[in-house]
Amino acid sequence: MTPLTTDRRLSLLWRTILLLTVFVMITQIFLYIWIQHSVRGHFEQMDSETLTHAAFNLRQRMSATALEQPSTPELAKQTVNSPQLDQQPLANPKLDYEVKTIMANKSGQILSSSPTGFTSAADSASLQHLWQRQFDQPFNLQLNNHHYRALIIEQADYLALIALPMDVHHQYLIQFNRQLIFILIAITFLLVSVAAFSVHLGFAPLATFSYKMQRINAEQLSDRITVSKMPSELRPLADAYNAMMDKLEHNFDSISRFSDDIAHELRTPLATLSTQTQVMLSKPRDNSEYVEQLHHQHDTLHQLSALINNMLLLAKTQKGLYRSQLNQVNTATLLTKLLSYYEVIAEDRGITFIKSISFPALLGDESLLQRLFANLLSNAIYYAAADSVITIGVAATSTASQTKITISNQLAKPMTQIEADKLFERFYRHDKDNLWHAGTGLGLSIVQAIAGAHNGKISIIIKDQYTFAVHITLPIVQ
């Protein structure tokens, strides 16, 4: 069951139910008012038609009686009380309630009523006053706790009050209101219940996300959500969750492999240092042996220092660069400076460099870009065949804000594209038997990380198994 409140705020389910309840209640109130108005209007229209019909009949009889009999007060009284007038129905015979009438002269004196007992109920009312205020207009009248819809007409020297009982209407409206209120409350409860159940079912898949997230640990990173079982509204969320878990699993595996590789890389030199120290301490030795052993240990410590520095640089570049670290870098000057250093190393194997004349200025961190190109040139010399040429070229890209620099060389040994793709893996060495180049296996991993920190890309393309080309895309100053 969804809790009512969380942190003093209504839960999403209860907020939805509350808003829906308020909306339905407001709608029901307007609907109740409209139905009441319609029913009352219908009854008033029926009463008006009945009163109009009764008034028309009464006027005809009063006119006929006035012509046949004298107009003295005594005769007029006899005329009004005559059975001929009282016994004939004034209302529509199809209606099942009786129309009541009171006859009076213009001075307000009551002459007769139909039925006879109705006169006493109207004693307190002044027909002349009502005639002056409500002449020929239907109005509501209350006599002896009874409700009437009334009409006063004038014919010759007489006034006539025609009253239609409304107690049946009042009783009907009271019962109708009770039933209508009960029906509207039942409809409101039903709609809110159905809506609450629907919202609960709609939120039910979210429990799957909660369950999956609670199970996340180092051994449960492969668990995924079945997107096809999710409602269409939650499928993008399920896809995003699965994509996040894919990245998390991949990164966790990378960190695990990286930790294993670090342990493996550090174990060998540390074991070597420990063994060499134990051997030297096992018995007294000459000073020359101590000096020679110290040189070996210094080389091992230098290798460890380089490995640690490379790992720190790799961790630094993986965090990305701040905008304040991006500056204009003169690419041609940077490459010229690096080539002057590596040409001395390359001469020993007869390797020469060919560089393009002009390069666009790069936008980035100069020290990191220098490390990037230094690693690429060192890698090119490492894999290049003796007496070959290393070419450094530049080309435009489809994006005006980037440029592509290519460093290519001929390989001494054939290499496949699959083997080349592994060169970006940390601590991977393609030719472990080559003692001329003793690296840590992090060179191209650092290059890839630096390129990524500059929002660039790097790729290796092998052609004919002997042409090795590194394409790197970097941002330029516009």
Side-chain angles (χ1 to χ4, degrees):
M1 181 63 181
T2 303
L4 180 60
T5 60
T6 55
D7 298 332
R8 297 184 179 180
R9 295 185 62 187
L10 289 175
S11 64
L12 186 58
L13 174 61
W14 286 103
R15 274 186 285 173
T16 304
I17 294 174
L18 179 60
L19 290 176
L20 180 62
T21 303
V22 172
F23 174 76
V24 172
M25 290 182 64
I26 294 175
T27 305
Q28 300 287 42
I29 290 173
F30 280 106
L31 181 62
Y32 174 80
I33 295 174
W34 178 77
I35 293 176
Q36 284 287 323
H37 179 74
S38 300
V39 172
R40 291 182 182 274
H42 174 70
F43 282 143
E44 290 178 1
Q45 183 179 3
M46 290 178 58
D47 294 342
S48 298
E49 292 177 356
T50 302
L51 290 174
T52 302
H53 182 74
F56 176 76
N57 292 339
L58 184 58
R59 276 194 173 99
Q60 286 185 333
R61 289 177 220 163
M62 290 171 64
S63 298
T65 304
L67 292 174
E68 295 173 0
Q69 298 182 7
S71 58
T72 61
E74 292 78 6
L75 294 176
K77 184 176 180 180
Q78 296 174 2
T79 301
V80 174
N81 289 328
S82 65
Q84 180 184 1
L85 182 62
D86 291 338
Q87 292 177 359
Q88 295 183 14
L90 299 178
N92 191 335
K94 294 183 179 180
L95 301 175
D96 57 356
Y97 48 83
E98 181 183 2
V99 175
K100 305 181 186 301
T101 59
I102 297 177
M103 296 289 297
N105 55 26
K106 288 193 175 181
S107 63
Q109 181 182 1
I110 298 176
L111 303 177
S112 67
S113 67
S114 175
T116 305
F118 188 61
T119 305
S120 60
D123 286 341
S124 60
S126 173
L127 293 182
Q128 189 175 14
H129 178 67
L130 292 174
W131 172 67
Q132 292 175 355
R133 293 182 56 190
Q134 308 289 348
F135 177 67
D136 270 348
Q137 295 293 330
F139 61 93
N140 294 330
L141 181 65
Q142 184 174 358
L143 297 173
N144 292 344
N145 297 325
H146 293 285
H147 299 273
Y148 299 91
R149 186 72 173 168
L151 177 68
I152 295 180
I153 62 174
E154 179 188 14
Q155 186 68 28
D157 294 330
Y158 304 105
L159 296 176
L161 172 67
I162 305 173
L164 181 64
M166 295 176 58
D167 292 336
V168 176
H169 294 175
H170 277 270
Q171 293 297 325
Y172 173 80
L173 287 174
I174 291 174
Q175 294 180 2
F176 178 78
N177 287 341
R178 291 174 181 173
Q179 295 177 359
L180 181 60
I181 292 174
F182 174 77
I183 292 174
L184 292 180
I185 292 176
I187 292 175
T188 302
F189 178 76
L190 181 62
L191 289 177
V192 172
S193 299
V194 172
F197 182 70
S198 301
V199 172
H200 177 72
L201 290 181
F203 290 159
L206 295 178
T208 304
F209 287 91
S210 177
Y211 175 73
K212 296 288 186 181
M213 290 179 181
Q214 291 176 357
R215 294 185 59 192
I216 293 177
N217 54 55
E219 289 76 25
Q220 293 289 339
L221 294 177
S222 60
D223 199 5
R224 299 292 183 271
I225 293 177
T226 306
V227 179
S228 59
K229 294 183 179 179
M230 290 286 116
S232 58
E233 295 81 3
L234 294 179
R235 288 185 179 181
L237 180 60
D239 289 330
Y241 173 84
N242 290 339
M244 179 194 70
M245 291 303 300
D246 290 338
K247 294 179 181 179
L248 187 61
E249 183 179 16
H250 174 73
N251 292 336
F252 188 83
D253 291 341
S254 298
I255 293 174
S256 298
R257 291 195 304 268
F258 186 51
S259 300
D260 295 339
D261 292 338
I262 290 177
H264 176 73
E265 293 295 326
L266 292 177
R267 181 179 59 185
T268 301
L270 289 176
T272 302
L273 287 174
S274 177
T275 302
Q276 291 175 348
T277 304
Q278 290 177 0
V279 170
M280 294 300 296
L281 294 176
S282 62
K283 63 179 180 178
R285 300 180 183 276
D286 297 335
N287 290 336
S288 60
E289 293 185 62
Y290 285 118
V291 171
E292 182 182 0
Q293 188 60 39
L294 288 174
H295 281 297
H296 289 306
Q297 292 185 355
H298 178 268
D299 293 338
T300 304
L301 291 173
H302 179 73
Q303 184 180 3
L304 282 174
S305 177
L307 178 62
I308 293 173
N309 290 333
N310 287 335
M311 288 189 299
L312 291 175
L313 179 62
L314 196 58
K316 174 184 176 181
T317 53
Q318 285 180 337
K319 295 180 181 179
L321 298 177
Y322 296 103
R323 184 174 295 273
S324 59
Q325 296 177 264
L326 302 178
N327 300 299
Q328 181 175 339
V329 179
N330 191 321
T331 314
T333 302
L334 179 62
L335 289 174
T336 301
K337 185 187 302 183
L338 290 173
L339 289 178
S340 63
Y341 171 77
Y342 282 103
E343 281 177 348
V344 178
I345 301 175
E347 284 179 357
D348 295 338
R349 301 181 57 202
I351 298 174
T352 57
F353 293 95
I354 297 179
K355 179 175 71 69
S356 296
I357 299 176
S358 62
F359 288 85
L362 297 177
L363 182 64
D365 184 279
E366 184 172 1
S367 62
L368 292 179
L369 291 177
Q370 180 177 351
R371 181 63 181 271
L372 180 147
F373 288 113
N375 285 5
L376 289 177
L377 292 174
S378 174
N379 185 79
I381 297 173
Y382 170 55
Y383 286 104
D387 301 323
S388 62
V389 177
I390 297 176
T391 305
I392 306 172
V394 63
T397 63
S398 58
T399 304
S401 61
Q402 292 183 326
T403 188
K404 182 170 69 173
I405 298 176
T406 302
I407 300 178
S408 60
N409 58 273
Q410 294 295 317
L411 297 174
K413 297 180 180 179
M415 181 183 297
T416 64
Q417 186 65 49
I418 297 177
E419 292 173 334
D421 293 337
K422 293 181 179 180
L423 295 176
F424 292 113
E425 296 181 5
R426 296 167 181 172
F427 302 111
Y428 176 80
R429 296 184 184 89
H430 175 63
D431 189 2
K432 298 181 180 180
D433 297 331
N434 191 338
L435 300 179
W436 180 86
H437 185 84
T440 60
L442 293 174
L444 288 180
S445 298
I446 293 174
V447 170
Q448 188 180 43
I450 294 175
H454 287 81
N455 295 323
K457 297 180 180 179
I458 184 172
S459 62
I460 298 176
I461 304 298
I462 302 295
K463 295 182 180 179
D464 302 328
Q465 294 187 349
Y466 282 95
T467 302
F468 186 95
V470 179
H471 302 283
I472 181 166
T473 303
L474 293 171
I476 59 176
V477 178
Q478 294 181 318

